[in-house]
Amino acid sequence: MTTVVPTSEDDPALAVVRFTSELAWADAGPEVAEPQVTSLCMEAQECIVMGRWLDLASLMLTSADLVFSKVSDKDLECIFTVICNLASKLENLDEFEVAKLISTKITQQPNDKPALRLKILFNLYNLLGGPDSRFFVYMQALNLALNGKVGDHIIPSFKKIDCFLKEWNIGVKDQRNLFLTIANVLKESKSSGKDSFKFLTKYLATFSGEDSYIISEAKEEAVRSVIEFVKAPDMFQSDLLDIPAVAQLEKDSKYALVYQLLKIFLTQKLDAYLEFQAANSTLMKSYGLVHEDCITMMRLISLVDLGSNESRQIPYALIKDTLRINDDEVELWVVKAITAKLMDCKMDQMNQVVIVSRCSERIFGPHQWLSLRSKLATWRGNVASLISTIQANKVVEEGLPAGQGGAKCMQRISVI
């Protein structure tokens, strides 16, 4: 037989049960409402005494859900703070079950006060101690932000994702779900295309090392990543060609042309794009690709490609022919490439050449790493040679009679 111990109404949980149940039954009249309210309060007391926190949370949520539209945002936040605090009384599995119950109830109607609901989930997250509970609630918050179109409220937390991943210690499948949902939130909120693309590529990278059947699950997202890259006006470099989830498109009967388009944007010039577009204009339109925007991108990329030659000099005539522009447009496109930080260069109008000092790489694969290694080795050799020269001159100076070191120093500076 259960013994019910009288509990003070000062108990926040009981106060919430009484407050919400009175509101929920207010329209039924006092004869019907009072017994119902009393019954609910007695049941809540029993849950507290017996330590049945999951049942108490369920009871409180049922009443709170009914009054969501009847009280102020401030009162709602207070009510759910008390409910969420139940999770802090538990550990491990019990905590997870309460967190799951509360967050699931909160996210059932994402279009009704979504910003407030999201704030409540953040409060719940901060009260939890278990990594599994925290990850589950964060995913619920992501989906609420996506469905309720309040992504701006959760986007700032994306800067801490690497720290969260260390804390949560989640598996590959959960990582995929996380990265893809974040990419969707960023895309829906019209944030930087680079940020959305970054998490989309993180999602695709999780399929590396998987068999072809598993990799095929990411086919649609692989296509999406290609289209987002081609559409973006400020992305000129990518390692998509090295990602197995994207590479599978090359031999896919439906998406082979999408892979071909990516290869053009990463390894070829304007003429290859124009040939592709002429043969696949309908495909381009079906993906929402604007021909004029693609031409602009390909002209900039083609100009960068010209600047990668060993001579580091590009004749104006070659730029004109490669970019298919008029003579008076050459310098304009060079300025556009400089503005986009794709290259550093000087224009020699007298000799009609562009002298390139730095040029961005379109892809960064094994060849680029070898080139970088060679440059670093050369730089290291030059620094070592300079140090040896300085040390040798220092020895010579130390062996000179007093008063001659300064003259020698002045001479060395003038030679440099």
Side-chain angles (χ1 to χ4, degrees):
M1 181 176 178
T2 302
T3 302
V4 179
V5 179
T7 311
S8 170
E9 276 289 353
D10 291 334
D11 189 299
L14 281 179
V16 166
V17 171
R18 178 169 293 281
F19 177 73
T20 55
S21 58
E22 285 177 350
L23 279 175
W25 288 94
D27 297 335
E31 292 183 359
V32 177
E34 287 182 8
Q36 291 293 338
V37 172
T38 301
S39 175
L40 288 169
C41 288
M42 290 294 290
E43 186 178 349
Q45 283 183 323
E46 183 178 343
C47 290
I48 293 173
V49 171
M50 301 299 294
R52 291 163 37 209
W53 305 115
L54 184 61
D55 292 338
L56 179 60
S58 179
L59 177 66
M60 295 172 74
L61 285 168
T62 300
S63 299
D65 192 48
L66 293 172
V67 301
F68 214 94
S69 60
K70 296 182 179 181
V71 298
S72 67
D73 289 358
K74 185 176 180 180
D75 286 340
L76 273 175
E77 190 175 348
C78 291
I79 290 169
F80 276 95
T81 297
V82 174
I83 297 174
C84 292
N85 193 55
L86 294 176
S88 65
K89 300 177 181 293
L90 306 168
E91 295 180 1
N92 302 328
L93 183 60
D94 290 334
E95 180 195 73
F96 179 82
E97 291 301 324
V98 170
K100 181 179 179 181
L101 179 68
I102 296 172
S103 58
T104 301
K105 177 66 73 172
I106 292 171
T107 56
Q108 281 181 348
Q109 299 182 49
N111 296 317
D112 180 17
K113 300 182 179 181
L116 176 61
R117 290 175 184 268
L118 194 59
K119 187 176 181 180
I120 292 169
L121 286 179
F122 288 158
N123 291 338
L124 173 60
Y125 180 93
N126 292 328
L127 287 167
L128 298 172
D132 291 344
S133 304
R134 284 192 151 202
F135 174 67
F136 182 86
V137 171
Y138 190 82
M139 286 304 303
Q140 291 286 80
L142 278 177
N143 287 307
L144 174 62
L146 181 63
N147 297 325
K149 302 186 185 303
V150 286
D152 291 342
H153 293 268
I154 200 171
I155 286 175
S157 70
F158 297 166
K159 295 178 181 178
K160 301 178 182 178
I161 283 298
D162 289 340
C163 294
F164 291 160
L165 287 172
K166 291 180 181 178
E167 176 192 338
W168 298 331
N169 193 29
I170 55 178
V172 174
K173 289 184 178 180
D174 285 333
Q175 287 182 38
R176 286 173 188 161
N177 191 17
L178 174 68
F179 294 145
L180 184 57
T181 307
I182 290 177
N184 291 336
V185 169
L186 288 165
K187 183 179 180 181
E188 185 67 29
S189 64
K190 309 299 181 185
S191 296
S192 168
K194 279 186 177 180
D195 293 334
S196 174
F197 181 77
K198 170 188 170 184
F199 282 99
L200 187 57
T201 53
K202 279 179 175 286
Y203 163 78
L204 295 173
T206 63
F207 288 88
S208 298
E210 300 282 9
D211 59 43
S212 57
Y213 178 77
I214 298 297
I215 292 177
S216 65
E217 295 176 6
K219 195 172 292 183
E220 296 296 330
E221 281 70 34
V223 173
R224 171 183 160 186
S225 70
V226 174
I227 301 304
E228 285 192 10
F229 174 74
V230 173
K231 280 184 176 181
D234 55 351
M235 287 195 290
F236 303 92
Q237 184 186 74
S238 174
D239 59 354
L240 284 177
L241 291 175
D242 298 326
I243 298 178
V246 177
Q248 69 176 321
L249 302 178
E250 184 176 15
K251 298 179 180 180
D252 188 90
S253 58
K254 184 178 179 180
Y255 298 121
L257 288 175
V258 174
Y259 184 85
Q260 186 181 340
L261 180 63
L262 174 66
K263 206 165 184 178
I264 289 172
F265 269 74
L266 286 174
T267 64
Q268 299 178 44
K269 296 187 179 71
L270 178 63
D271 56 350
Y273 164 73
L274 292 174
E275 183 179 343
F276 178 89
Q277 195 277 334
N280 302 284
S281 59
T282 303
L283 175 74
M284 300 280 289
K285 290 178 181 177
S286 69
Y287 285 112
L289 298 171
V290 180
H291 180 49
E292 290 74 16
D293 294 341
C294 291
I295 287 181
T296 298
M297 286 289 293
M298 285 306 301
R299 279 177 173 159
L300 288 170
I301 292 171
S302 298
L303 180 54
V304 170
D305 205 50
L306 293 176
S308 300
N309 65 68
E310 293 183 3
S311 69
R312 291 292 182 174
Q313 293 190 4
I314 320 172
Y316 277 29
L318 181 58
I319 295 175
K320 172 194 170 185
D321 294 341
T322 304
L323 273 57
R324 301 195 181 189
I325 54 177
N326 299 323
D327 290 327
D328 58 356
E329 295 179 291
V330 170
E331 293 185 354
L332 173 64
W333 281 96
V334 173
V335 170
K336 285 184 178 181
I338 296 172
T339 303
K341 298 182 179 180
L342 293 173
M343 61 195 315
D344 294 330
C345 60
K346 295 180 180 179
M347 288 178 279
D348 185 344
Q349 295 177 324
M350 184 70 70
N351 296 308
Q352 295 283 284
V353 295
V354 175
I355 303 171
V356 180
S357 56
R358 182 197 64 83
C359 209
S360 297
E361 297 286 353
R362 295 167 66 181
I363 55 176
F364 212 90
H367 176 74
Q368 286 72 30
W369 280 112
L370 287 173
S371 177
L372 179 60
R373 181 181 179 182
S374 176
K375 289 177 182 178
L376 287 173
T378 302
W379 176 81
R380 183 178 180 181
N382 290 339
V383 171
S385 177
L386 179 61
I387 291 173
S388 297
T389 301
I390 292 173
Q391 290 176 340
N393 287 336
K394 185 178 180 181
V395 171
V396 171
E397 280 187 10
E398 290 175 350
L400 289 175
Q404 293 187 23
K408 182 69 176 177
C409 182
M410 290 297 292
Q411 182 183 6
R412 187 165 67 251
I413 292 174
S414 65
V415 170
I416 292 176

